[in-house]
Amino acid sequence: MGNLLQEIRDNRPLWLLAMVPVLFIVDHLAPNAHTLLFVLSILAIFPLALLLSHSTEAVAGRMGDATGGLLNASLGNLTELVIALTALRAGEYALVKASIAGAIVTNTLFMLGASFLLGGLKHRVQEFNRVNARFQSSLLFVATVAILIPSAVTAADSIAMSTFTRQLSVGLSILLIVVYGLGLLFSLKTHKEIFGQQEEQGGEHAPLGAALATLAGATVLVALVSEIFVESVQQAAVSFGMTPAFVGFIIVALVGGAAEMASAFSGARKNRLDLSVGIALGSASQIALFVAPVLVLVSYFIGPTPMDLEFWPGAVVMIFLAAMTVVLVTAGGHSTWFVGVLLLMVYVILAMTLYLLPPQVQ
Amino acid sequence: MGNLLQEIRDNRPLWLLAMVPVLFIVDHLAPNAHTLLFVLSILAIFPLALLLSHSTEAVAGRMGDATGGLLNASLGNLTELVIALTALRAGEYALVKASIAGAIVTNTLFMLGASFLLGGLKHRVQEFNRVNARFQSSLLFVATVAILIPSAVTAADSIAMSTFTRQLSVGLSILLIVVYGLGLLFSLKTHKEIFGQQEEQGGEHAPLGAALATLAGATVLVALVSEIFVESVQQAAVSFGMTPAFVGFIIVALVGGAAEMASAFSGARKNRLDLSVGIALGSASQIALFVAPVLVLVSYFIGPTPMDLEFWPGAVVMIFLAAMTVVLVTAGGHSTWFVGVLLLMVYVILAMTLYLLPPQVQ
Amino acid sequence: MGNLLQEIRDNRPLWLLAMVPVLFIVDHLAPNAHTLLFVLSILAIFPLALLLSHSTEAVAGRMGDATGGLLNASLGNLTELVIALTALRAGEYALVKASIAGAIVTNTLFMLGASFLLGGLKHRVQEFNRVNARFQSSLLFVATVAILIPSAVTAADSIAMSTFTRQLSVGLSILLIVVYGLGLLFSLKTHKEIFGQQEEQGGEHAPLGAALATLAGATVLVALVSEIFVESVQQAAVSFGMTPAFVGFIIVALVGGAAEMASAFSGARKNRLDLSVGIALGSASQIALFVAPVLVLVSYFIGPTPMDLEFWPGAVVMIFLAAMTVVLVTAGGHSTWFVGVLLLMVYVILAMTLYLLPPQVQ
C-alpha cells in the first residue's frame, strides 16, 4: 500500500485519481449532469488505466516468464475490454463496435504517428528492428483482415442478413480466439526471442500481494467509472455536437489506450522505437484477435441480444486503410518526424470525417 | 508402360486411379446418384492430377530448356483448365468464375499457409530468397489487380451492363494473354536465372513417348471425369448443404490444385521454401494471366453464350485480400509455423463465409 | 532571348512551339472546329510544358538551395495546375476531378512503368535506392489515402450529402496544404539529404532574367492554350468516341505530365532510376497534397460554385490500386523490363475500362 501511495506521489498523472471519488459523488448528486459526468469519467479513467497497466506489469514481473507474459498479453487491453463490456451490457452495440474499430485505428495511426513525431523531433532518423516490425505488422494485417472479412463481403454484396452474420460472427470469434491462443504459444513459448525486447523494464516492482490488490481494485473502479461513462457519453456527445461514431472511434479509444500511449511515447523519446512499434502493433492485433471475439461471445450471456461482428462499411474502410498504412510505413525500419506527421494526418482526416458524418449513416 | 505401372506401384496416391473405372461404371449404372458420383469424381481427379503433373514434368524434362519450360508453365494448371472448360461448355459460368477466384485464393492462402505450417513444424525459422519472392509476389499482385479492375470499377459504381462488361472482358483477356506471353519470354529467355531454382529435380524420367502418351491419356480422363464432376456437383452440393460458391471456391480449387500442393508441401518439409513459394505464387499468377483469359476467349466458341470476367463483389474482395496478405507476408523472406497458421486462418474464414453465405447473393 | 532561341533550335520537341500561334489563328477563324482545336492545343501544350519545366529549373538553379527547391517543388506540376484552374473557372468539375485522379494514376503507373520498360530494355536489372524509394512511396501512399478517405467512406456508406462533403473537403484541403508545407520543411530543410539526388543537373543555365521571362511567358501561354483546350475537349471527345472520364484521366494527364515524363524516361535510359522514381512518385504526391487542395480552396473564389473532393467510386478504386501497385513494385529496389510491362498493363486496363465505361456513371 505504501508502494502504491509512493507511486501515486511520484507520478503526476496518477493525481487524477482524485477524480474517481469526485465522479461518484457527482453521479450521486446530479445523475443527469451528463456533460459533467462525461468529462469527469474521462478524467477518472485515465489514471485508472495507468494504474491498471502498472499493476499488470508488476504482477507479470513476479510470475515468471510464461505466466507473466500470458497475463501481460491478455490484460494489455483490459481498460478497453472493461469499457466495452459495460457498453455491451447496456446494449450499446454501436458504441462497442465503434470502440473496437477505433482502438485499432487509434493504436496504429495515432499511437505510432505520435511516437514517430515525438521521437523524430529529438532524434534525426530513428531505426527499429525491421524483422520484428515486419513480423508484427503482418500479424496485425492478417488479424485485421480476419475481423473484416465478413463485413467486407456482406458490404460488397449489399446484404444484411442477421442469421448469416450472427452464425459467421460466432464461428469467426471462436477461430480468432484459437488463433490468439496459438499466438501466445508462439510468442511466449516456441519463438519467444522474437518478441523478447518489447517489454519495458519497470525497475523495482511492488510486492505481489499489493500488486494483485491494486490490479483487482483498479479493475473494479474502471468498471464502475465505465458505467457512468457509457451512460453519459451519448447525451454528452449530443451536447458537444459529436456524432456517436466519433465518440466511440476517437474519444473511447484515446481514453482506453492512454496508458499504452504513455509507454509508447516515452519509448520513442528514449530512441527505443522497437518498444513503441511493439506496443502499438501488438495492442492493435490483440484488439482484433482477442478483445473483439471475446465481446461477441460474451454478448450471448450478458447482452440483451447477441452482438455480431459486422462493422458499418465506413469503419471497414478506415480499419483496412489504417492497417495498410502502418504496414507500409513500418516496412522500411526507419522513421523521421515527417512520417509521424503523415500518420497523424491520416488520423486527423478520419477524425474529421467521423465528426462531420451525419449520424444516421453509422 | 512398365514405367507408368512402376510409378503407380511406388506412389500410394496413384492407387486411387482405381476410382476412375469405378466412377465410369457407377455413372453408367446410376446416373442420378449425384452425391456418390461427386465423391467418386473427386477421388478420381486427385490421382489424375498427380499423373498429369508428373507426365508434364517428364515431357518438359526431355524437351530442352525453353520448350520444356514453356510446356511446364503452360500446363501447370491443366487440371484446373480442363475442369473449367467442362463447366464452361455446360454453361455453368458461376462455377467457372468461382473456380478461377477460388484457385487464386486457395493457391495463395491455403497452399502457402500449409507450406509455412508444415515446414515450420519441422524447422524453427525458414528463410527464402526475398528478391525472388518479392518479384513473384509483385507479379501476382499486378496480375490479380489486372483481372479485378473491371469488376472493382463496376462494383464501385453499381453498374451492371452486359455490353460494357463483355467488350472489356475480351479486350482484357487479349491483353492478359499478351502479357502472359511476354512473361514467358522474360522467365524462360531474357531473365531465366531469376526463376532458375523453382523446378524440382524429379530423378530419372520416363522415355518421351511413354510420357507423352500418359500426358494425353490423363488429360482425356480428366476431361471425362470432369464432365461427371460438373454434372453432379451442384446437386451434391445441395445435399451436403454447401453453397455453389463454396463448391467452386473451395472444393474445385482444392481438387484441381492437389498435385501442386503435394509438391509445395514436400518442398516446405525439405526446407526448400523457395520451391513452395514459387509454386504457390506462380500458379496463382498463371490462373489470373492465362487460365482466366483463355476461358473468356474460348467461351465465344464452346459456351452457350459468351462469358465475361466480372466477378461478384465478395469474390473481388476475397481475391484482393488474399493477394495483399501474401504480398505482405512474403516480403520479409522469413517464415515460422505461426505465419502459416495466420494464412490458414484467413483461408478458413473465407471458407466459413462462403459456406454460410445465402446462395442468392453469389 | 538568344539562349531561348538556341534551346529551341537544339531541342526538337520545342519546334512544336510553332503550333501555339497556329492554334490561336485557327481558334480565331474557326472557333467551332473543336476536333482540330483539340488536337492543336495538345500539340501546343506539349512544348510549352517542356519550356515551363526547363525555365522553372533554370530559375530554381539561380536561387540558392532553399528558395530554388521550394520553387521547383511548387511549380513542378504547374502545367497540370493551370489546365485544372482553367477547367475550374469553366465549371467543368468532372474534368478537374478526373484530371487530378488521372495525374496520380498516370504518374505512378504510366510514367514509372514506361521508365522501367525503357530502362530495362537497355539495362538487364536496374537498381535504385530502396530507402529513398520506400520513403517516397510511403509518402505517396499516405497522401493518396488522405485524399481518398472522404470519397471512400461516403462511397462505402452510399451517402451523397453536399453539406457534409463540402465541409469535409475544405477541412481536408487546409490540412493537406499544411502537411505539404511541413513536407517542404522536411525535404528542403531538416532532411534534405534524403532527396538530394533527385534533381537532374541541367548543364549551363540561362541568365535569371531570361529564365523568369520565359517562365512567365510560358505560363501565360499555357493558360491561353488551356482555355481553348478545355472548351474543345468535351466536344472533341464525343467525335472521337471518348468518354469525358477517359479524356480527363488519360489525355489531360498525359499532356500535362509530358515534361516530367521526358525527364523520367531519359533518367531511366541513363540507368539513373532514382531520378525517374523520384519524379514519378514525387509528382504524384504533389498532386494529392498540393494541387488538389489548392483547386478546392480556389474554387470558392473563381468557380461558379464550390468544388468538393469527392471522387466517383471507380476513380477511388483506380487511384488506390495505382498507389498500392507502385508501393509494392518499388519496395524491392530492383526493376526489369517485365516489371515495366506489368505496370503499363495495369495502366492500359484502366484506360480501356474508362474508354468503354458508359458516360452516365462517371
Side-chain angles (χ1 to χ4, degrees):
Chain A
M1 205 58 194
N3 265 307
L4 179 60
L5 288 176
Q6 196 193 324
E7 195 183 341
I8 293 174
R9 206 176 47 229
D10 294 350
N11 197 334
R12 294 270 175 100
L14 290 184
W15 293 7
L16 279 171
L17 282 173
M19 285 300 127
V20 179
V22 172
L23 171 68
F24 292 142
I25 294 166
V26 171
D27 184 44
H28 191 75
L29 297 178
N32 290 318
H34 295 298
T35 311
L36 180 61
L37 286 171
F38 171 74
V39 173
L40 284 174
S41 56
I42 287 179
L43 291 177
I45 286 178
F46 179 67
L48 287 172
L50 281 181
L51 209 57
L52 216 53
S53 155
H54 291 184
S55 56
T56 306
E57 267 170 37
V59 173
R62 302 274 138 175
M63 288 236 174
D65 263 19
T67 331
L70 183 68
L71 200 76
N72 223 341
S74 308
L75 302 185
N77 285 302
L78 189 55
T79 315
E80 282 92 336
L81 188 58
V82 172
I83 299 178
L85 281 172
T86 314
L88 192 69
R89 227 179 43 190
E92 300 277 9
Y93 293 167
L95 185 64
V96 176
K97 287 182 190 175
S99 75
I100 293 172
I104 296 173
V105 169
T106 302
N107 282 342
T108 47
L109 295 176
F110 180 78
M111 201 189 287
L112 207 60
S115 296
F116 285 172
L117 177 57
L118 290 171
L121 290 177
K122 203 164 167 189
H123 308 275
R124 187 168 177 71
V125 174
Q126 294 188 292
E127 308 217 347
F128 47 92
N129 187 322
R130 218 167 60 187
V131 174
N132 287 8
R134 191 168 272 153
F135 179 83
Q136 299 214 26
S137 68
S138 308
L139 201 155
L140 168 66
F141 183 76
V142 176
T144 325
V145 161
I147 204 182
L148 291 184
I149 285 173
S151 315
V153 170
T154 51
D157 290 327
S158 322
I159 44 174
M161 273 148 306
S162 53
T163 322
F164 162 66
T165 317
R166 220 168 267 174
Q167 285 178 333
L168 188 57
S169 297
V170 171
L172 182 61
S173 298
I174 294 169
L175 185 66
L176 288 171
I177 289 176
V178 169
V179 171
Y180 180 70
L182 291 173
L184 290 180
L185 182 68
F186 178 75
S187 63
L188 300 175
K189 199 99 188 171
T190 74
H191 289 67
K192 64 182 161 192
E193 78 289 352
I194 301 186
F195 297 83
Q197 293 154 318
Q198 273 176 54
E199 281 144 61
E200 199 170 15
Q201 295 309 318
E204 82 291 19
H205 283 300
L208 183 57
L212 272 175
T214 313
L215 182 57
T219 307
V220 170
L221 286 177
V222 168
L224 293 172
V225 172
S226 299
E227 209 140 325
I228 304 175
F229 176 71
V230 168
E231 264 169 37
S232 65
V233 71
Q234 301 292 12
Q235 309 219 16
V238 173
S239 67
F240 279 115
M242 295 185 287
T243 60
F246 181 82
V247 171
F249 234 83
I250 307 292
I251 306 290
V252 176
L254 286 175
V255 169
E260 289 138 315
M261 280 172 209
S263 305
F265 298 163
S266 122
R269 297 294 291 175
K270 293 177 194 152
N271 208 10
R272 295 178 59 195
L273 263 195
D274 280 316
L275 185 64
S276 315
V277 171
I279 294 174
L281 302 191
S283 185
S285 306
Q286 202 189 23
I287 298 280
L289 284 178
F290 180 68
V291 175
V294 161
L295 290 169
V296 169
L297 296 181
V298 165
S299 78
Y300 279 80
F301 302 102
I302 71 167
T305 56
M307 186 179 83
D308 60 44
L309 258 180
E310 204 188 344
F311 294 96
W312 49 285
V316 173
V317 169
M318 289 181 184
I319 295 176
F320 183 71
L321 288 180
M324 279 293 341
T325 305
V326 167
V327 168
L328 292 173
V329 162
T330 56
H334 299 269
S335 98
T336 61
W337 66 265
F338 190 58
V339 174
V341 167
L342 288 171
L343 289 177
L344 290 173
M345 173 183 73
V346 175
Y347 188 68
V348 172
I349 294 175
L350 290 179
M352 213 156 69
T353 307
L354 287 167
Y355 190 83
L356 294 171
L357 206 61
Q360 70 274 19
V361 299
Q362 294 147 18
Chain B
M1 206 56 194
N3 265 307
L4 179 59
L5 287 177
Q6 195 192 326
E7 196 183 342
I8 293 174
R9 206 173 49 226
D10 294 351
N11 197 333
R12 293 270 175 99
L14 290 185
W15 294 8
L16 279 172
L17 282 173
M19 286 299 127
V20 179
V22 172
L23 171 69
F24 291 143
I25 293 166
V26 172
D27 184 45
H28 192 73
L29 298 177
N32 290 318
H34 294 298
T35 311
L36 180 61
L37 287 171
F38 171 73
V39 173
L40 284 175
S41 55
I42 287 179
L43 292 176
I45 287 177
F46 179 66
L48 287 172
L50 282 182
L51 208 59
L52 215 52
S53 156
H54 290 184
S55 55
T56 306
E57 266 170 39
V59 172
R62 304 275 136 177
M63 287 238 177
D65 264 19
T67 331
L70 183 66
L71 199 76
N72 223 340
S74 308
L75 301 187
N77 285 301
L78 189 55
T79 314
E80 281 94 336
L81 188 58
V82 172
I83 299 178
L85 282 171
T86 314
L88 192 70
R89 227 181 42 191
E92 299 276 10
Y93 292 167
L95 186 64
V96 175
K97 287 182 190 176
S99 76
I100 293 172
I104 296 173
V105 169
T106 302
N107 282 342
T108 47
L109 295 175
F110 179 78
M111 202 189 286
L112 207 60
S115 296
F116 284 173
L117 178 58
L118 290 172
L121 289 177
K122 204 164 165 190
H123 309 274
R124 189 168 175 71
V125 174
Q126 294 189 290
E127 308 217 348
F128 47 91
N129 188 322
R130 217 167 62 188
V131 175
N132 287 8
R134 192 169 271 154
F135 179 83
Q136 299 215 25
S137 68
S138 308
L139 200 155
L140 168 66
F141 182 76
V142 176
T144 324
V145 161
I147 204 182
L148 290 184
I149 286 173
S151 315
V153 170
T154 51
D157 289 328
S158 323
I159 43 173
M161 274 147 308
S162 54
T163 322
F164 162 65
T165 317
R166 221 169 266 173
Q167 285 177 335
L168 188 57
S169 297
V170 172
L172 181 60
S173 299
I174 294 168
L175 185 65
L176 287 171
I177 289 175
V178 169
V179 171
Y180 181 71
L182 290 173
L184 290 180
L185 182 68
F186 178 75
S187 63
L188 300 175
K189 200 97 188 171
T190 74
H191 289 67
K192 65 182 161 191
E193 77 289 352
I194 301 186
F195 297 82
Q197 293 154 316
Q198 273 176 53
E199 279 145 62
E200 200 172 16
Q201 295 308 318
E204 85 287 20
H205 284 300
L208 184 57
L212 273 176
T214 311
L215 182 57
T219 307
V220 170
L221 285 177
V222 168
L224 293 172
V225 171
S226 298
E227 208 140 326
I228 303 175
F229 176 71
V230 168
E231 264 170 37
S232 64
V233 73
Q234 301 293 13
Q235 310 220 15
V238 173
S239 66
F240 279 114
M242 295 186 289
T243 60
F246 181 81
V247 171
F249 234 82
I250 307 290
I251 306 291
V252 176
L254 286 176
V255 169
E260 288 137 315
M261 281 172 208
S263 305
F265 297 164
S266 123
R269 297 292 291 175
K270 292 177 193 150
N271 209 9
R272 296 179 59 195
L273 262 194
D274 279 317
L275 183 65
S276 314
V277 171
I279 294 174
L281 302 190
S283 185
S285 305
Q286 201 189 24
I287 297 280
L289 284 178
F290 181 67
V291 174
V294 160
L295 289 170
V296 169
L297 296 181
V298 165
S299 78
Y300 279 80
F301 302 102
I302 71 167
T305 56
M307 186 179 84
D308 59 46
L309 258 181
E310 203 188 347
F311 294 96
W312 49 286
V316 173
V317 169
M318 290 181 183
I319 295 176
F320 183 70
L321 288 180
M324 279 293 340
T325 305
V326 167
V327 167
L328 292 173
V329 162
T330 55
H334 298 270
S335 100
T336 61
W337 67 264
F338 189 58
V339 174
V341 167
L342 287 171
L343 290 177
L344 289 174
M345 174 183 72
V346 175
Y347 188 68
V348 172
I349 294 175
L350 290 179
M352 213 155 68
T353 308
L354 288 166
Y355 189 83
L356 294 172
L357 207 61
Q360 71 274 17
V361 299
Q362 294 147 18
Chain C
M1 206 56 194
N3 264 308
L4 179 59
L5 287 176
Q6 196 192 325
E7 196 183 341
I8 293 174
R9 205 175 48 227
D10 294 350
N11 197 334
R12 293 272 174 100
L14 290 184
W15 294 9
L16 278 172
L17 282 173
M19 286 300 126
V20 179
V22 172
L23 172 69
F24 292 142
I25 293 167
V26 172
D27 183 46
H28 191 75
L29 298 178
N32 290 318
H34 295 297
T35 311
L36 181 60
L37 286 170
F38 171 74
V39 173
L40 283 175
S41 56
I42 286 178
L43 292 176
I45 287 177
F46 179 67
L48 287 172
L50 281 182
L51 209 59
L52 215 52
S53 154
H54 290 185
S55 55
T56 306
E57 266 169 39
V59 172
R62 304 276 138 174
M63 289 237 175
D65 264 18
T67 332
L70 184 67
L71 199 77
N72 224 341
S74 308
L75 302 185
N77 285 301
L78 190 54
T79 315
E80 281 93 337
L81 189 57
V82 172
I83 299 179
L85 281 172
T86 313
L88 192 69
R89 228 181 42 192
E92 300 276 9
Y93 292 167
L95 185 65
V96 176
K97 287 182 191 176
S99 76
I100 292 171
I104 295 174
V105 169
T106 302
N107 282 344
T108 49
L109 295 176
F110 180 78
M111 202 189 287
L112 207 60
S115 295
F116 283 173
L117 178 58
L118 290 172
L121 290 176
K122 205 164 166 190
H123 308 275
R124 186 167 178 73
V125 174
Q126 294 189 292
E127 308 215 349
F128 48 92
N129 188 322
R130 216 167 62 186
V131 175
N132 286 8
R134 191 169 272 154
F135 179 83
Q136 298 215 25
S137 68
S138 307
L139 200 154
L140 167 67
F141 183 76
V142 177
T144 324
V145 161
I147 204 183
L148 290 186
I149 285 173
S151 315
V153 170
T154 51
D157 289 327
S158 323
I159 45 174
M161 273 147 307
S162 53
T163 321
F164 163 65
T165 316
R166 222 168 264 173
Q167 285 177 334
L168 188 57
S169 297
V170 172
L172 181 61
S173 298
I174 293 168
L175 185 67
L176 288 172
I177 289 175
V178 169
V179 171
Y180 180 71
L182 290 172
L184 290 180
L185 182 68
F186 178 76
S187 63
L188 299 175
K189 200 99 188 172
T190 74
H191 288 68
K192 65 181 161 193
E193 77 289 352
I194 301 186
F195 298 82
Q197 292 154 316
Q198 272 176 55
E199 279 144 62
E200 199 171 16
Q201 295 309 318
E204 83 291 18
H205 284 300
L208 184 57
L212 273 175
T214 312
L215 183 57
T219 307
V220 170
L221 286 177
V222 168
L224 293 172
V225 171
S226 298
E227 210 141 323
I228 303 175
F229 176 71
V230 168
E231 264 170 37
S232 64
V233 72
Q234 301 293 12
Q235 309 221 15
V238 173
S239 67
F240 279 114
M242 295 186 288
T243 60
F246 181 83
V247 171
F249 234 83
I250 306 292
I251 306 290
V252 175
L254 286 175
V255 170
E260 288 137 317
M261 281 172 207
S263 305
F265 297 164
S266 122
R269 297 293 290 176
K270 292 177 194 150
N271 208 10
R272 295 180 58 196
L273 262 195
D274 279 316
L275 185 64
S276 315
V277 171
I279 294 174
L281 302 190
S283 184
S285 306
Q286 203 189 23
I287 298 280
L289 284 177
F290 181 67
V291 174
V294 161
L295 290 169
V296 169
L297 296 181
V298 165
S299 78
Y300 280 80
F301 303 101
I302 71 167
T305 57
M307 185 179 84
D308 60 44
L309 258 181
E310 204 188 345
F311 294 95
W312 49 284
V316 173
V317 170
M318 289 181 183
I319 295 176
F320 183 71
L321 289 180
M324 278 294 341
T325 305
V326 168
V327 168
L328 292 173
V329 162
T330 56
H334 299 268
S335 99
T336 60
W337 66 266
F338 189 58
V339 175
V341 167
L342 288 171
L343 289 177
L344 290 173
M345 174 182 72
V346 175
Y347 188 68
V348 172
I349 294 175
L350 290 178
M352 213 156 67
T353 307
L354 288 166
Y355 190 83
L356 294 172
L357 207 61
Q360 70 274 19
V361 298
Q362 293 147 20

